[in-house]
Amino acid sequence: MKVIKRIACAMLLLAIMVSTVLVYPQTTADAAFVIDYEPYCDCIYMVNLETGLVVFEKNAEKVKYPASLTKIMTCLLVLEYYSDLENEKVTISNAVMTDKTLLSEGVWSATALKTGERIRLIDLLYCAMLASDNYAALALAYKVSEDKGDGTIDWFIKQMNSKAAELGCTNTQFVNPHGLFNENHYSTAKDMFLICKYAMEMPSFAEIVETDVPYYRPPTNMTDETVRFETTNRMMMSAYVDYYYQYVKGIKTGFLKASGHTYASYAVKDGYSYIIVCMDDGATSNYGQRNDAMVDAKQLFQWAFSDLSLKEVVNTNTVIVEAPVEWAWNKTTVELVPSESFRTIMPSNIELSSILVETDIPGTLKAPLRQGDVVGTASLIYANEVIGVIDLVAGETVQRSELLYIMSIIDGVFDSTLFLIFAIMLVLGVVGYVIYSLIHARNIGSLKKVRRYASARSSVRPEMYRSYNADSSRTSQRLGSATAEAMREDDAPYIPEKTKKKQKEGSFSNTLKMIGEDIGGLFGAKKRIRK
């Protein structure tokens, strides 16, 4: 019975957990913050511009087709090359209006451009960015290339890719200035954010993309009438209730069958600003099908503005850690504080105590230290994401004790490996010298004894031995036949054969013993002679 109850409880608990997940979907994607929203787009990258903090991302570096987001790069390059936008004129060439790519895709000029028409550069930029006119984008590329390059589209494409690399894009390649499909034309949500951020820092670009009212292109040499068009960004058009968000100030829409809806947007509210890039909502048509890229952007903007706020995490008076310090008199630690205050975007209901701090400082600091000296860094971590890295500085000045400093140097010398090796070699050298000295002394002592003995024997002339009584058997027995034979040779020092043999064998004790016996025999012989 107990087993059945346990199984029933486990199944009930599992059902509750599953229903919770289904009813309250929570996703962080690759972001630091948890939100109760599951986005439609495959790739999203959202950044707070005040702090540079990524507040939400999903597959941010996955390669996608950017579609008309490409025109952002085209227009920012134009703005880099030209400043007098009102007076600079562009002639729409036949090459633009008969471009094979545009004609094969069946697209037309959304702003009614005509071959041979002369149009102000500023108007052409509005045509490309608001109405997303592909012919306008191509005409802009030709204009820059003819004035600044070799007159070809290839030259302009090289400038586009060069600029992308300069901005830090790592997975972007452009092959045309408008964004129509090409399998070699691609980017990522993260790369497109870098391009958008740079473009929005240009006043002229920001002014163009935040236009939320119809734009009227002035008459030209080809027409006496104005041409009216408006932005494709429905988040800026109050008529589109599902998308409209009053704080949105741009940036660009896009669509291809291969890419779905793509969308880059910028919004500002209460001093906070964000850029979001959404790519590939899975749509297969740009008409009659909901733009879920805009839906995602609206939901994420609302979440960010309502749930996130700028908080001061630490300031210059916040003691991060007390670090050990050496060479200071009567002081073993020093307080480390941030070099400057750090503020970042955080969920409004989060306590600062939930932020972890990981320090990177030396194990022990060395005096002297001046207040404000940078000694390490600290990483601020929330929800397993590093939200900031700050420099740590000494919170006070710490003087060095010269006595402790010198003592530490001495200790360091004695503790060093080099000193240990030197000490071992010195000890081995001393021991070797002592052993050598003992052996040498014993050899010298033995040699002196032998020489003294030999000197004493040489002082007794051979004639003295010849005068001895031949019948003196005791003398002959003591000296031996070898001794008598040696005395008959000459007056050279005499060393018995037995002593020579022992010397060769290197036995000092036996040699000395034999010498003693011989000396004893010598003195015995002298006594008998006196008698």
Side-chain angles (χ1 to χ4, degrees):
M1 191 67 180
K2 291 183 178 180
V3 175
I4 295 175
K5 287 183 177 180
R6 290 178 180 175
I7 294 174
C9 290
M11 293 179 66
L12 179 61
L13 180 61
L14 180 61
I16 292 172
M17 293 174 63
V18 171
S19 63
T20 301
V21 172
L22 293 176
V23 176
Y24 300 104
Q26 291 186 325
T27 178
T28 61
D30 302 317
F33 307 125
V34 177
I35 65 172
D36 293 332
Y37 176 71
E38 185 67 37
Y40 295 97
C41 287
D42 189 33
C43 304
I44 299 177
Y45 196 69
M46 184 178 187
V47 180
N48 171 259
L49 298 183
E50 283 68 45
T51 62
L53 183 69
V54 179
V55 298
F56 188 88
E57 62 178 314
K58 175 185 177 183
N59 299 328
E61 298 189 62
K62 186 176 181 179
V63 170
K64 292 288 182 179
Y65 300 118
S68 284
L69 299 189
T70 303
K71 296 182 178 74
I72 300 171
M73 173 62 81
T74 300
C75 290
L76 74 84
L77 283 176
V78 173
L79 293 173
E80 283 194 333
Y81 282 110
Y82 301 95
S83 58
D84 190 1
L85 305 178
E86 301 285 341
N87 295 314
E88 191 72 37
K89 296 292 184 70
V90 180
T91 299
I92 307 301
S93 66
N94 186 62
V96 171
M97 301 309 296
T98 60
D99 181 78
K100 292 181 180 180
T101 301
L102 298 178
L103 294 177
S104 64
E105 292 290 335
V107 298
W108 64 91
S109 174
T111 58
L113 296 175
K114 301 179 178 65
T115 301
E117 190 171 23
R118 286 183 59 76
I119 183 172
R120 296 185 308 168
L121 187 57
I122 185 64
D123 295 326
L124 203 57
L125 287 167
Y126 273 93
C127 292
M129 291 305 298
L130 293 189
S132 199
D133 192 328
N134 294 302
Y135 289 88
L138 188 60
L140 289 169
Y142 269 114
K143 167 67 176 176
V144 176
S145 181
E146 289 168 358
D147 291 351
K148 311 296 181 178
D150 61 8
T152 66
I153 288 298
D154 288 342
W155 180 91
F156 187 81
I157 299 305
K158 288 181 181 178
Q159 307 313 305
M160 295 176 71
N161 289 317
S162 177
K163 191 64 182 182
E166 179 186 324
L167 295 176
C169 300
T170 56
N171 290 299
T172 294
Q173 178 173 279
F174 297 117
V175 299
N176 63 56
H178 39 66
L180 290 181
F181 176 75
N182 187 301
E183 62 181 8
N184 295 317
H185 187 98
Y186 53 81
S187 187
T188 67
K190 183 177 180 180
D191 283 359
M192 287 310 306
F193 160 76
L194 295 174
I195 295 170
C196 289
K197 180 177 180 294
Y198 180 78
M200 290 301 292
E201 292 171 354
M202 297 178 167
S204 296
F205 184 92
E207 182 180 350
I208 292 171
V209 299
E210 70 179 19
T211 301
D212 58 358
V213 295
Y215 186 84
Y216 293 88
R217 179 165 69 84
T220 65
N221 63 316
M222 302 290 291
T223 178
D224 295 330
E225 299 179 354
T226 59
V227 178
R228 179 188 181 277
F229 54 87
E230 58 188 13
T231 180
T232 59
N233 191 347
R234 294 177 180 177
M235 288 192 74
M236 297 170 62
M237 304 171 71
S238 58
Y240 296 90
V241 179
D242 291 341
Y243 307 124
Y244 178 67
Y245 191 60
Q246 60 183 324
Y247 304 107
V248 169
K249 306 296 180 183
I251 303 176
K252 188 72 188 73
T253 63
F255 176 81
L256 289 172
K257 287 184 178 180
S259 69
H261 289 111
T262 61
Y263 183 53
S265 188
Y266 168 74
V268 182
K269 180 185 178 184
D270 298 334
Y272 298 100
S273 58
Y274 294 88
I275 286 179
I276 186 170
V277 176
C278 304
M279 302 182 77
D280 190 4
D281 66 347
T284 57
S285 174
N286 197 28
Y287 303 99
Q289 193 168 355
R290 191 175 72 168
N291 189 328
D292 284 328
M294 290 187 184
V295 173
D296 283 346
K298 183 176 181 177
Q299 289 289 335
L300 290 171
F301 278 143
Q302 290 176 331
W303 160 75
F305 287 128
S306 63
D307 290 5
L308 303 181
S309 61
L310 192 62
K311 292 188 176 185
E312 184 180 74
V313 180
V314 294
N315 57 47
T316 54
N317 295 320
T318 306
V319 177
I320 301 299
V321 67
E322 290 191 3
V325 63
E326 291 183 347
W327 306 343
W329 193 260
N330 290 333
K331 192 170 187 62
T332 57
T333 62
V334 60
E335 293 179 346
L336 302 185
V337 299
S339 60
E340 58 184 3
S341 298
F342 178 81
R343 303 201 308 166
T344 190
I345 291 293
M346 297 286 296
S348 303
N349 60 347
I350 292 298
E351 297 294 332
L352 294 180
S353 58
S354 63
I355 297 176
L356 302 178
V357 179
E358 289 187 359
T359 59
D360 183 10
I361 58 176
T364 303
L365 302 178
K366 313 290 186 184
L369 291 172
R370 292 180 299 175
Q371 185 176 14
D373 283 350
V374 178
V375 297
T377 60
S379 298
L380 306 175
I381 302 171
Y382 173 73
N384 296 321
E385 293 286 338
V386 176
I387 60 175
V389 178
I390 56 175
D391 286 333
L392 294 179
V393 300
E396 58 184 315
T397 297
V398 180
Q399 300 294 341
R400 183 174 72 185
S401 168
E402 297 302 325
L403 175 61
L404 295 178
Y405 175 63
I406 294 173
M407 290 176 63
S408 70
I409 292 177
I410 295 173
D411 288 341
V413 170
F414 284 111
D415 291 340
S416 67
T417 303
L418 188 61
F419 177 80
L420 181 61
I421 295 173
F422 174 76
I424 292 173
M425 293 179 64
L426 181 62
V427 170
L428 292 176
V430 170
V431 171
Y433 178 76
V434 170
I435 294 174
Y436 170 78
S437 298
L438 291 175
I439 295 174
H440 185 67
R442 292 181 65 182
N443 288 339
I444 294 297
S446 300
L447 184 58
K448 286 181 178 180
K449 290 181 180 179
V450 171
R451 287 177 176 173
R452 285 197 300 270
Y453 167 70
S455 177
R457 293 296 299 266
S458 64
S459 63
V460 182
R461 306 303 301 168
E463 290 82 1
M464 183 184 300
Y465 292 103
R466 295 191 192 98
S467 64
Y468 292 162
N469 190 336
D471 297 330
S472 183
S473 60
R474 293 180 60 190
T475 301
S476 299
Q477 291 175 355
R478 295 288 293 176
L479 296 177
S481 58
T483 303
E485 181 66 26
M487 287 190 296
R488 288 192 296 270
E489 293 288 334
D490 50 28
D491 293 337
Y494 167 70
I495 300 177
E497 289 296 327
K498 182 168 64 175
T499 302
K500 292 181 179 179
K501 181 178 180 181
K502 294 298 180 180
Q503 286 178 335
K504 291 181 180 179
E505 294 174 355
S507 176
F508 292 108
S509 58
N510 292 336
T511 301
L512 294 175
K513 183 176 179 181
M514 289 190 296
I515 291 174
E517 292 176 355
D518 289 339
I519 292 174
L522 177 61
F523 281 105
K526 288 183 178 179
K527 288 180 181 180
R528 287 193 295 273
I529 291 172
R530 290 193 185 100
K531 291 179 180 180

